[in-house]
Amino acid sequence: MIIRRETPADRPEILAVVQAAFPEPVEARLLRELFAAREYIPELSLVAETEQGEIIGHVITTRGWVGESKSLGLGPIAVLPAYQRQGVGSALMRATIDAANLMGESTLVLLGSTEYYPRFGFVPADSLGITSPDPSWGSHFMALPLAAHVSGSHGRFRYAEPFNSL
Ligand SMILES: CC(C)(COP(=O)(O)OP(=O)(O)OC[C@H]1O[C@@H](n2cnc3c(N)ncnc32)[C@H](O)[C@@H]1OP(=O)(O)O)[C@@H](O)C(=O)NCCC(=O)NCCS
């Protein structure tokens, strides 16, 4: 398996992965909108591909903000059900973290399972002074301070525009 950047030609296959991984159509619709959004970042839309050229996983991270400062919002992430629990999601997460660090980004933010993401270094976002857009998300709203993180950039997190119409 390799992790590489997505190309526009991959998108039908990526959307099929997302539809297979999530029971509802919400995430596939969100992803389609994120591909077309101003906040799309080509370096941070990654696929996991088998040696045979099958796309088995995808993760996207788009521009977000903490107050007025640039940040990143991760998600959706999806792995084909038949390939889950074999390290594909972890490889996509680590590649995203490496790429964001190489880009000099300061924080990576997501909403997700408190069982899964802490293993990559994510902590409750409020412990870094990053306020959730929705207080009901509680500790599921998490952030990872990257190499360029400076403590003191506090504020409310704002996702890329397509997240507002969820
Ligand atoms: C979440 C997802 C991307 C993880 O990818 P993966 O390739 O299965 O994950 P990995 O193999 O790298 O890691 C497996 C570990 O994560 C745990 N894990 C995976 N998904 C989890 C979840 N949704 N909640 C809690 N733990 C989860 C597994 O228990 C396993 O733990 P272990 O190593 O201690 O046994 C994948 O399971 C998926 O596509 N799920 C459906 C879509 C989804 O829920 N996306 C995330 C929304 S936040």
Side-chain angles (χ1 to χ4, degrees):
M1 182 190 75
I2 61 155
I3 306 293
R4 62 164 174 81
R5 261 198 228 180
E6 163 245 331
T7 69
D10 295 323
R11 288 182 183 173
E13 214 179 332
I14 292 170
L15 288 164
V17 169
V18 172
Q19 275 155 2
F22 287 96
E24 304 288 334
V26 179
E27 284 80 8
R29 197 184 70 216
L30 170 64
L31 183 57
R32 221 177 268 118
E33 291 178 12
L34 289 174
F35 284 147
R38 251 183 325 183
E39 297 92 343
Y40 172 78
I41 301 171
E43 293 87 343
L44 296 177
S45 179
L46 306 177
V47 294
E49 187 179 58
T50 65
E51 278 176 26
Q52 290 72 36
E54 185 189 5
I55 292 176
I56 57 173
H58 175 258
V59 61
I60 191 165
T61 300
T62 45
R63 175 60 62 214
W65 294 266
V66 172
E68 297 304 312
S69 307
K70 281 183 175 177
S71 178
L72 294 170
L74 184 149
I77 177 170
V79 173
L80 270 187
Y83 290 91
Q84 288 177 7
R85 305 205 159 191
Q86 297 169 42
V88 178
S90 297
L92 287 166
M93 288 298 301
R94 294 208 183 90
T96 297
I97 293 165
D98 287 350
N101 271 319
L102 285 167
M103 291 165 69
E105 294 286 339
S106 66
T107 48
L108 192 50
V109 173
L110 58 78
L111 175 66
S113 162
T114 52
E115 304 277 301
Y116 188 53
Y117 297 102
R119 68 186 70 187
F120 306 108
F122 283 81
V123 294
D126 59 11
S127 70
L128 299 176
I130 301 174
T131 313
S132 170
D134 181 342
S136 74
W137 293 347
S139 57
H140 292 272
F141 188 65
M142 289 173 272
L144 175 70
L146 296 167
H149 178 254
V150 278
S151 57
S153 62
H154 294 175
R156 182 174 297 278
F157 185 76
R158 185 158 53 91
Y159 269 111
E161 181 59 29
F163 283 88
N164 294 332
S165 47
L166 282 183

